[in-house]
Every structure is written in structure tokens, then in C-alpha cells.
Amino acid sequence: MTTLDRDETHTPAALPRPVVPGRPLPLRVAVPLAVAAGLALLVAFPPYGVWPLAPVGVALLAAAAHRRRLRAGAGLGFLTGVAFFAPLLAWTNLHTGYLPWVLLSLLQAGYLALLGVATAWVSPLVDRARWAWPALTGLLWVGQEALRDRTPFGGFPWGRLAFSQDGSPLLRLAALGGAPLVTFVVALIGGLLVTAAWRGWVTARRRAAEPTTAPGDAAPGADGPLGGPARPGGAAARPWTPVVVPAVVAVALTAGGLLVPVATAGSGDTVTVAIVQGNVPRLGLDFNAQRQAVLNNHVDATIELAERVAAGQQRRPDLVVWPENSSDIDPLRNPTAGARISQAADTIGAPILVGAVLLGPDAGQVRNAGILWRPGTGADLGQLYTKRHPVPFAEYVPLRDVARMVSKKVDLIRNDFVPGSTPGVVRAGPTVLGDVICFEVAYDEVVRDTVTGGAQLLVVQTNNATFDVAEARQQMAMVRLRAVEHGRPALMASTVGVSGFVAPDGRVSDATGFNTREVVVRQLRLDDGRTLATRLGWWPEVALAALAAAALVGAAVLRRRQRVRPG
């Protein structure tokens, strides 16, 4: 037994601490479990997509941190976070060097360290009521994600448990309570798994000790259902019932997701939409230096589509969607760029949603925008969306002087992107679009605001030229969840891929390759209805996070009672 484990189970009289019945797992077991938890979570996400491993990773961390001292819980959670986030976010180091990737990964791992602390903290509640372990696990994960999604500088929701379930029956739960409900149920299933596994471990320990005990007596020091004293009869007569029941409930919950009704197609008018993925000459940060070539790629691909339409080989689209950064030359100020976009719109005979970088409003500022370009009339300034959530240290630099001391690369961002103030509701002829740009798809309220504003079709404009296919597939998983959450058809348009259409039930159609030039056209049924998740908004997350806070308070009360209890 390690020194840490001895400290956790033997409290000096001079320094009274809470008396937690039973023992934690040996540290030599808990550390590998924590690392395995992070790796299991990683493999649950795209590009691997083995979604059943998400609750397994939750279970492994819960087992590792249970009954530990708080600093040990923090350390184990941090190990899980590093094993998970460092490879998950490896695409951030492709063109910016290792330092931003390392700092971002460590920051995100810090939130799982807090989760490890919280898991250790609520151990007395778990030991007091074994049925509470699954629910507590789910609540703590939702609370951790709620904090991580908002702090610092607006948060970074990448790697939420819900985003690992794009191929799972649990994805359908998004229609009831959005991403927070999906995360809660995934972690709840992980709690059921750890409850079953812990009981199996306890039973195995008891059986190993049985030869040294009298018939019918519990082994000296043996744990009860969750580590407390073994009870005569009941569970002892059916030793595997507490193992089988949580496992069966976990499987039933997962399969039960299939019973949640979701639409397979919209119920409104039919429109034909084209996605133009023009590609870039070279991947990397210098795509901005290639901005004329990138614009030309999208114009030329659109004109080629118009030629196929004229030849009767393709249906004329009602709308064409270009990705983020398809025109990094401000077409409102540069007549040549504006003329080229007008040429494309006039030739295809349909409005184009252009992803453009616009200068201003003040000197030294720029905007990341989606602007509707109509045939015959050009830019429609009344249908312009400015990205509401620019990415810190990528599109603007907070605390620039401090950041420069960490990395000189912050000066690659010469002009700060300024945020927009209104949701991305764009009216494009027969279609009302809900436009979000790049990482905004990860933020619940940014997407929901477009739907409550009347959006019938969700559009995600993105630029993956500085990343890789893993990042693009992780982003597509988010689009799938948003389509189910709001019962809307959706699409993702990328400069280099992956682009594609998503049905309201999360199915992907016409997905493009990565680093290729492609144009895909599809008929879509629009939708005006609202799911329960859309109507409830952020209340499921508020309720679950409040219950998580209540659990932490309840654990504090119980720990205080244990501290002052005689003996």
C-alpha cells in the first residue's frame, strides 16, 4: 500500500478528517485507470468514433478518483485530461508550433482535474447511498462542461461528451434537452458501469476472504455494497444482483435512445442547395496569402456548376453556400473581388452566402462574416451576419502584451476580429438560414438563437485549411447533434472539407473528401417546428448544474458530520 493510500485510510487523532468507510483503489491501479479513461474518451470521438467508449472513460475516472483525497483526485483527473485533450486537440499544433497546443491542452485538462476533485469530494454521498453514484457522476460532468464551455474568454466546448455520440442512439436525446442532456446520460451510463464494476470488485474481495471466515460471517474488513460493512442476507444471498442490475440498466438506457422520436426530414417547403468547396492551393496559415486564388477557386467551381445546370445535368440551386474565408478580400471595398462574386451569382442565377472577411468598422479591426450576394443586385447588406464568438488567440488576442511574452506568434494576428451582436438569421429568398461560423457550432446558445429567430435551415460555414481531417470530422459531429437538437436540416460548408448535408435525424449525406475541390447539390425539406430542446433552451443545463452544486454542498454537510462524530 502506498503512503497516499495509508493517509487516506488512517487519520491521525491530532488532525481529524472525515471518516470515509472502506478504501480507494490502490494508487498503482488508479493511475493507469486515469490514463486509460482519457484514452477511452479520445477514441470515442471522431475520427475514431467508437462512441461506447465514452461512458467507459467516465467510469474509469470515477473509479480512480473515488474515496481519494482531494489533491489525489485532482492529479488523477488531470492525468485523464492530458491523455484525452492532448491528442484530441493535436490539430492545433499543425501550423502554429507546439506551445499553443500544449497550453490549450493543459488548460482543458485542468477542468478534468476539477472534476477529479469533485468526484473525490462526493465520495461520502456515494458510500452512504449507492444508488446515487450514477446520478452524481452525470451531474458532475454536466457541471464541469458548463464551466469549461464559458471560461476563460468565453470558453472552449470542444470535447463535450455529447459530441462523441454522433453515431449513437443517445444522439436522439438532443431533441429533448440538447447537448447537456446527452452528456448527462452518457456520464450516467458511465456511473452505472462503475457501480457494477465496483460491486464486482467488492464481491471478488469478499469471496477471496471467505476461507478464513466462519460460515455466514463477513470477511474482516470486507466492504459492503460500496465499501461499507457487509450486510447479512439480501445482497449476500444474491451477490451478483448489484453487478448485473446497473449493467442491464446501462444497456437499456443506451438502447432506449432509439425510442425518442425525431424527424427524418423537414416538414416544410423543398429547396435545392449547393455547397461549393473550392479548396486552397496549400494547407496552412498562409492560406491568407493565397486569398485571390481561394476566391477564384470558389468562383470557378460555381461557374462550372452553372454550366452543368445549363446543360441539364444538374438541378438549378435555390441557394449556393460558400465556406468561411472563401473571400478574404473584402468584396465591399475591393471592386475586383466584388465583381468576381457577382459574376458567379449572375451565372448560377441564385443567391450565394459568401464567407468574407470585412474591414472595419474601425481602423485595425475586421469582421468574420457571412453575407448574402444576390444575382443582379450584388451584396445584400441587410442580410449580413457577423460572427458573434471570435476565437481568442486565433481571431483576436486578449491580453496581447502578456500573450506576447509567451509566444511571438500572437503578432500573426495583426487585426482583432470584432464580434457581431445579432444572431445569424439570414433570409435568402425562399429559405431562412441560421448561419453560424466555424467553432460557433459548439456553443449551444449561438445555434439556438438562430432557430428561435426563425431559421429553417442550419448552415455552418467553416475553414479547416489550418487544421486536418480529424478536426473537420469532430466539427461535423457537432453539426449532426445540432440538426437533431433543433429538428432542422443542416449543412457544413468548408474550404477544404469535410462538407456535407445533415438530415434532422443526424444522418450525413454527400460528405466530401478532405483537401479536395468538390461541389455537392441536394434537395432539402425545410422545417419551422420547434423541438422540446429548442423550447427549453438552457434550462436543462441550469437544472443539472444546480443539482451538481447541491450535491457538492450535501457532501460538505456529510463530511462535517463525519468529522465531528465520536470515534
Side-chain angles (χ1 to χ4, degrees):
M1 185 184 302
T2 66
T3 302
L4 179 58
D5 289 329
R6 286 197 299 269
D7 287 346
E8 290 176 337
T9 56
H10 297 281
T11 306
L15 296 172
R17 291 196 177 98
V19 179
V20 180
R23 298 174 179 176
L25 293 175
L27 202 59
R28 65 180 180 275
V29 175
V31 169
L33 283 185
V35 175
L39 297 177
L41 291 170
L42 169 68
V43 177
F45 283 78
Y48 313 103
V50 189
W51 57 264
L53 288 181
V56 172
V58 170
L60 292 174
L61 176 58
H66 184 52
R67 296 181 181 153
R68 303 228 83 92
R69 298 177 75 175
L70 299 187
R71 64 171 176 263
L76 292 167
F78 189 76
L79 284 177
T80 297
V82 170
F84 173 41
F85 283 111
L88 183 77
L89 303 177
W91 43 266
T92 61
N93 75 1
L94 295 179
H95 306 288
T96 60
Y98 289 102
L99 186 59
W101 164 59
V102 169
L103 293 177
L104 179 61
S105 299
L106 294 179
L107 174 64
Q108 300 306 303
Y111 288 92
L112 289 195
L114 293 177
L115 178 63
V117 171
T119 301
W121 179 256
V122 300
S123 295
L125 287 179
V126 172
D127 286 322
R128 189 178 185 88
R130 63 172 178 248
W131 52 265
W133 204 351
L136 286 171
T137 303
L139 294 173
L140 293 181
W141 270 91
V142 173
Q144 174 264 141
E145 288 188 356
L147 181 64
R148 188 166 67 85
D149 297 350
R150 293 167 174 81
T151 59
F153 308 115
F156 187 69
W158 219 270
R160 296 169 74 177
L161 286 182
F163 297 151
S164 69
Q165 301 299 296
D166 59 317
S168 163
L170 298 178
L171 181 68
R172 290 169 166 252
L173 296 175
L176 302 180
L181 179 62
V182 178
T183 285
F184 173 75
V185 176
V186 172
L188 175 71
I189 292 171
L192 289 166
L193 294 179
V194 73
T195 301
W198 193 279
R199 175 56 180 170
W201 173 65
V202 168
T203 300
R205 286 178 59 199
R206 183 181 300 129
R207 288 188 169 184
E210 279 177 356
T212 63
T213 62
D217 292 338
D223 284 347
L226 286 175
R231 301 173 187 172
R238 298 180 300 276
W240 291 106
T241 298
V243 178
V244 174
V245 170
V248 169
V249 173
V251 174
L253 270 177
T254 303
L258 296 172
L259 301 178
V260 177
V262 295
T264 57
S267 58
D269 296 335
T270 300
V271 296
T272 302
V273 182
I275 299 173
V276 175
Q277 179 179 300
N279 208 6
V280 300
R282 294 181 306 279
L283 298 175
L285 288 176
D286 66 340
F287 76 89
N288 282 310
Q290 313 165 52
R291 53 188 183 170
Q292 185 63 60
V294 174
L295 174 58
N296 289 339
N297 282 356
H298 288 83
V299 170
D300 294 343
T302 305
I303 292 175
E304 291 169 6
L305 172 62
E307 293 172 352
R308 294 198 297 274
V309 170
Q313 300 171 355
Q314 184 63 262
R315 182 187 296 270
R316 184 179 301 277
D318 300 301
L319 171 70
V320 178
V321 179
W322 287 4
E324 177 191 27
N325 298 123
S326 50
S327 179
D328 270 356
I329 305 171
D330 186 346
L332 302 181
R333 296 173 182 257
N334 187 299
T336 302
R340 289 243 62 194
I341 299 173
S342 291
Q343 179 189 6
D346 294 345
T347 305
I348 193 64
I352 301 174
L353 183 65
V354 179
V357 173
L358 306 179
L359 302 179
D362 298 326
Q365 295 180 331
V366 289
R367 291 171 289 163
N368 192 349
I371 181 171
L372 196 69
W373 211 275
R374 298 187 185 274
T377 58
D380 185 345
L381 298 183
Q383 304 302 321
L384 183 151
Y385 167 62
T386 299
K387 187 175 183 179
R388 296 167 62 192
H389 204 300
V391 180
F393 303 104
E395 293 178 310
Y396 76 99
V397 182
L399 308 174
R400 185 180 287 268
D401 291 339
V402 177
R404 188 180 292 114
M405 291 188 288
V406 177
S407 173
K408 300 296 184 182
K409 289 185 180 292
V410 298
D411 290 326
L412 291 174
I413 306 168
R414 293 186 294 273
N415 299 319
D416 286 336
F417 283 78
V418 295
S421 58
T422 58
V425 180
V426 178
R427 289 167 173 80
T431 310
V432 182
L433 308 178
D435 188 23
V436 296
I437 298 177
C438 200
F439 286 12
E440 287 187 319
V441 69
Y443 296 90
D444 297 345
E445 69 282 358
V446 174
V447 181
R448 180 178 177 271
D449 286 349
T450 69
V451 177
T452 57
Q456 302 165 305
L457 169 65
L458 299 178
V459 173
V460 179
Q461 296 178 287
T462 187
N463 172 27
N464 309 110
T466 57
F467 305 127
D468 62 12
V469 67
E471 184 272 346
R473 295 196 182 281
Q474 290 164 17
Q475 200 168 26
M476 180 60 84
M478 302 177 197
V479 180
R480 297 178 70 178
L481 183 137
R482 298 307 181 194
V484 175
E485 180 181 15
H486 298 294
R488 293 288 189 277
L491 65 87
M492 185 165 90
S494 171
T495 47
V496 299
V498 175
S499 304
F501 296 96
V502 181
D505 62 357
R507 289 178 294 113
V508 178
S509 302
D510 302 314
T512 65
F514 188 76
N515 196 21
T516 61
R517 176 168 154 176
E518 299 187 46
V519 176
V520 290
V521 182
R522 191 171 185 84
Q523 283 188 298
L524 303 173
R525 291 283 298 276
L526 305 177
D527 206 306
D528 292 305
R530 294 191 180 184
T531 63
L532 180 61
T534 305
R535 293 195 295 269
L536 291 176
W538 67 337
W539 287 110
E541 184 177 47
V542 169
L544 293 169
L547 289 173
L552 296 175
V553 173
V557 173
L558 184 56
R559 281 172 169 266
R560 180 174 180 80
R561 289 177 179 175
Q562 291 175 336
R563 185 178 294 117
V564 301
R565 184 178 299 158

